[in-house]
Amino acid sequence: TQLLEQSPQFLSIQEGENLTVYCNSSSVFSSLQWYRQEPGEGPVLLVTVVTGGEVKKLKRLTFQFGDARKDSSLHITAAQPGDTGLYLCAGIQGAQKLVFGQGTRLTINP
Amino acid sequence: DAGVIQSPRHEVTEMGQEVTLRCKPISGHNSLFWYRQTMMRGLELLIYFNNNVPIDDSGMPEDRFSAKMPNASFSTLKIQPSEPRDSAVYFCASRRGTGTNYGYTFGSGTRLTVV
């Protein structure tokens, strides 16, 4: 059983469309991070959200932390082929233990 | 900054052989993590160290797996004897501190195939 459930697991859309990826848990996390992973490489940190209700923007990416600090979402506006990759949410338990969701494999078609 | 360095990048070994994976964390990072990634189970935390001391090894699947961190700049993950179900990509990550805003920096991984 995954502590963090991501949906959808796979998403294929056309360039220019918008999309949202969800990360849900029954547990409360001290913070939540989003990573992007490309083939043959390790995950790369995109953002950390700490406060319930927090919203952070990274160019066309918008990240939101749920009020109860159990869930998060990633919204991409006007997706581009360069956004293709595996997006992972991860929650920090306690001070150090980072646990990952299964990931959302995103494909943006030109 | 060279990042987290893992070696080898690829390892193919026969069932029953000993396998040693290596990791050099970023200088100044005092926490080190070993993860395993498979299609079925995603990224799983195996073990992590703070200041070279193992803190949580609850993710280590069996006694066949062991990890050491003899100093701040080097860690190993050993599998003895290896089995085909150990085939996966193994990642090492390091972190500077324990505050919630600190990110984890991952290496490029070691792809292990046990035949």
Side-chain angles (χ1 to χ4, degrees):
Chain A
T1 303
Q2 285 288 126
L3 194 59
L4 284 162
E5 296 287 342
Q6 282 187 243
S7 62
Q9 289 191 22
F10 299 92
L11 183 59
S12 180
I13 63 171
Q14 293 300 118
E15 181 177 1
E17 293 183 359
N18 302 332
L19 66 107
T20 302
V21 175
Y22 299 93
C23 176
N24 295 296
S25 176
S26 57
S27 300
V28 175
F29 292 96
S30 55
S31 64
L32 201 143
Q33 298 182 335
W34 284 90
Y35 289 78
R36 179 179 161 192
Q37 186 179 17
E38 302 204 31
E41 297 298 329
V44 175
L45 178 66
L46 295 174
V47 76
T48 300
V49 285
V50 178
T51 306
E54 182 176 5
V55 176
K56 281 192 174 179
K57 291 194 173 184
L58 189 66
K59 297 183 181 178
R60 294 176 293 99
L61 278 60
T62 302
F63 303 86
Q64 185 160 7
F65 202 11
D67 291 341
R69 293 177 20 239
K70 293 182 179 181
D71 55 86
S72 181
S73 64
L74 157 60
H75 182 80
I76 301 179
T77 304
Q80 299 177 1
D83 296 328
T84 293
L86 178 66
Y87 289 82
L88 296 153
C89 69
I92 299 177
Q93 291 183 307
Q96 287 276 59
K97 196 167 181 176
L98 186 69
V99 292
F100 282 88
Q102 280 281 59
T104 294
R105 195 164 296 278
L106 176 64
T107 303
I108 310 299
N109 303 300
Chain B
D1 192 338
V4 176
I5 299 173
Q6 291 187 245
S7 64
R9 285 298 309 267
H10 302 272
E11 176 81 40
V12 180
T13 191
E14 290 185 347
M15 182 174 62
Q17 296 298 306
E18 177 179 296
V19 175
T20 300
L21 310 181
R22 297 173 175 78
C23 175
K24 177 179 169 55
I26 292 174
S27 177
H29 284 198
N30 56 14
S31 299
L32 183 140
F33 305 78
W34 281 100
Y35 284 84
R36 177 172 69 176
Q37 187 174 37
T38 61
M39 286 294 291
M40 289 297 295
R41 300 173 69 90
L43 270 162
E44 303 173 279
L45 177 63
L46 301 177
I47 185 172
Y48 74 91
F49 298 81
N50 271 356
N51 297 315
N52 314 336
V53 177
I55 302 300
D56 186 339
D57 65 354
S58 60
M60 296 286 262
E62 299 173 32
D63 291 346
R64 299 183 295 106
F65 286 70
S66 62
K68 293 182 180 180
M69 192 163 186
N71 56 62
S73 60
F74 184 65
S75 177
T76 59
L77 178 67
K78 187 177 293 187
I79 308 173
Q80 165 64 22
S82 58
E83 297 182 3
R85 60 192 167 125
D86 302 331
S87 297
V89 182
Y90 290 80
F91 287 102
C92 174
S94 69
R95 193 186 191 207
R96 181 177 297 279
T98 58
T100 53
N101 277 316
Y102 287 105
Y104 297 68
T105 303
F106 284 77
S108 297
T110 294
R111 180 174 295 276
L112 173 65
T113 303
V114 183
V115 297

